Amino acid sequence: RPRVLSGIQPTADSFHFGNYLGALRQWVDLQRDHQPFFFIADLHAITVEQDPKVLRERSLRAAAQLLAMGIDPARSSIFIQSQVPAHAQLGWVLQCLTGFGEARRMTQFKDKSAKQGEGAASVGLFTYPVLQAADILLYRPHYVPVGEDQRQHLELTRDLAQRFNSRYKKTFRLPEPYILKATAKIADLQEPTRKMSKSASSAAGIIDMLDDPKVSAKKVRSAVTDSGSEIRFDTEEKPGVSNLLTIHSALTGTAIGDLEQEYAGRGYGDLKKDLAEIVVDFVTPFRERTLELLDDQAHLTSVLQQGAEAAGAVAEATLRDVYQRVGFVAAA
Ligand code: ATP
Ligand code: MG
């Protein structure tokens, strides 16, 4: 079975619909006929300051959400990144293979560092994509299911893999991004030209999977829509409405064209009201299941430990090859 790998940061109390539709739903689907490794990226989370207690809680909440969504530990290795030291170890080797200018071109760093001023951003935030390359390459995956915002990081990953392979010896597989076009960029409800983001969106712009369903419904009903009144999919002219249609279509399985027909002659309010109900029906059981899982922390931590053991075995084997090829002396 082809391997897949992906990760998500524990940088909020809840995942949002961008995470779910852009990436996590594909994780669940790919389990059927792939060999998956999925991790909670706590090493990445500390590229910006985190409260230790909150970070720990959020990592466990992240795990509970993944299980509630349908990640099955019998099929997938699910683990916490910091529990597999090979990530940081390969990260260092790859940093030494990355050009400074090459790292500087990453647009996510430009966006994320702009807020605090580049000088105040951590070096970790700068080298984040290189650690991400290590996360991926350790498992030699065929596919990496992510949202559109990760495409550039995936290209860097492939470049680094190729560079290592040609400088030393073929070690890494060149992974393909697995990005579903329809849901690759779910927009912020209040600023529909920007992506919904855990750390950058305002509370009103983000639909959290674990929010009180009533709150989510209200956010959908208050989403920014566009001038005019026609319900039509057009991301240039009507980014707000198009985003609502995208979410509707993804949750109901109705083609966008069919939705356009269904709403012909009706107003934005109708679309928002219907979508609010669809969202409520979706999040209500998800939230209950997550809270149940969170009640049994012993079970959660044991699933994560098993995941870390399985992942660690694969990762350490790759790291041993890398260390040997780079010229490090093996421990006796
Ligand atoms: P942060 O703001 O802390 O970076 P995030 O919301 O971007 O958080 P990540 O943990 O960085 O979430 O990303 C997890 C996965 O979700 C990645 O595969 C990413 O591409 C995907 N993703 C994030 N936001 C969206 C979005 N708005 N639409 C589609 N996919 C998304
Ligand atoms: Mg992100």
Side-chain angles (χ1 to χ4, degrees):
R1 291 187 296 162
R3 278 199 191 156
V4 297
L5 170 126
S6 197
I8 184 155
Q9 300 187 76
T11 41
D13 289 338
S14 169
F15 296 149
H16 56 70
F17 271 72
N19 300 137
Y20 180 66
L21 297 176
L24 303 176
R25 196 161 72 153
Q26 284 64 263
W27 296 15
V28 176
D29 292 344
L30 286 166
Q31 289 181 112
R32 231 176 307 126
D33 40 17
H34 292 72
Q35 186 194 353
F37 295 88
F38 298 129
F39 68 96
I40 294 152
D42 55 350
L43 297 181
H44 287 281
I46 64 162
T47 55
V48 296
E49 193 174 340
Q50 304 289 339
D51 178 284
K53 182 165 172 288
V54 173
L55 177 62
R56 212 172 344 262
E57 273 170 21
R58 286 176 169 176
S59 294
L60 292 174
R61 285 173 83 85
Q65 289 176 83
L66 293 178
L67 297 179
M69 213 165 261
I71 298 296
D72 175 2
R75 291 174 179 268
S76 302
S77 300
I78 156 171
F79 63 100
I80 299 204
Q81 186 186 24
S82 61
Q83 292 186 5
V84 180
H87 289 244
Q89 292 169 306
L90 180 62
W92 175 256
V93 175
L94 295 182
Q95 282 187 53
C96 298
L97 228 69
T98 308
F100 192 84
E102 190 175 29
R104 268 199 90 96
R105 282 195 293 277
M106 297 297 118
T107 56
Q108 183 176 285
F109 174 73
K110 289 183 200 165
D111 293 345
K112 289 199 170 183
S113 63
K115 266 185 293 177
Q116 30 188 340
E118 194 191 271
S122 72
V123 174
L125 188 67
F126 183 65
T127 58
Y128 172 128
V130 185
L131 177 60
Q132 185 176 333
D135 299 334
I136 296 168
L137 296 176
L138 279 174
Y139 299 90
R140 300 181 166 116
H142 297 74
Y143 303 107
V144 183
V146 287
E148 180 62 38
D149 61 326
Q150 295 302 319
R151 190 183 291 279
Q152 193 187 31
H153 293 168
L154 258 292
E155 275 161 23
L156 175 71
T157 301
R158 291 170 57 91
D159 288 347
L160 292 175
Q162 202 147 32
R163 192 170 306 155
F164 188 98
N165 287 350
S166 66
R167 187 171 301 180
Y168 301 101
K169 177 172 182 231
K170 185 163 187 323
T171 304
F172 298 123
R173 171 176 282 124
L174 268 53
E176 299 283 343
Y178 183 91
I179 300 176
L180 290 195
K181 197 160 172 277
T183 50
K185 187 185 172 190
I186 300 297
D188 182 304
L189 296 182
Q190 292 299 318
E191 290 181 80
T193 54
R194 302 184 49 181
K195 85 165 193 102
M196 190 179 282
S197 151
K198 284 194 233 97
S199 54
S201 289
S202 68
I206 193 169
I207 322 175
D208 276 330
M209 313 266 303
L210 291 179
D211 253 350
D212 178 344
K214 285 199 225 67
V215 172
S216 300
K218 185 150 179 271
K219 288 182 185 179
V220 172
R221 286 194 308 263
S222 325
V224 164
T225 32
D226 316 288
S227 56
S229 61
E230 194 193 353
I231 295 180
R232 177 165 53 85
F233 188 83
D234 179 341
T235 50
E236 292 290 309
E237 297 288 322
K238 290 177 173 275
V241 170
S242 300
N243 191 41
L244 299 179
L245 286 170
T246 296
I247 299 172
H248 189 312
S249 168
L251 292 177
T252 59
T254 316
I256 301 254
D258 293 343
L259 289 176
E260 286 175 331
Q261 285 191 354
E262 190 181 325
Y263 287 99
R266 298 166 67 193
Y268 292 158
D270 286 350
L271 172 61
K272 291 198 228 179
K273 189 168 151 288
D274 291 351
L275 182 57
E277 276 171 30
I278 292 161
V279 165
V280 167
D281 288 346
F282 182 81
V283 296
T284 303
F286 170 76
R287 187 168 182 252
E288 279 165 18
R289 180 91 191 98
T290 304
L291 297 179
E292 262 169 42
L293 283 155
L294 271 175
D295 267 345
D296 191 351
Q297 301 238 333
H299 171 70
L300 266 186
T301 50
S302 111
V303 164
L304 291 168
Q305 190 194 328
Q306 282 169 35
E309 280 168 17
V314 174
E316 275 160 34
T318 308
L319 186 73
R320 261 197 307 278
D321 289 348
V322 167
Y323 273 16
Q324 192 269 331
R325 285 160 195 184
V326 166
F328 295 164
V329 175

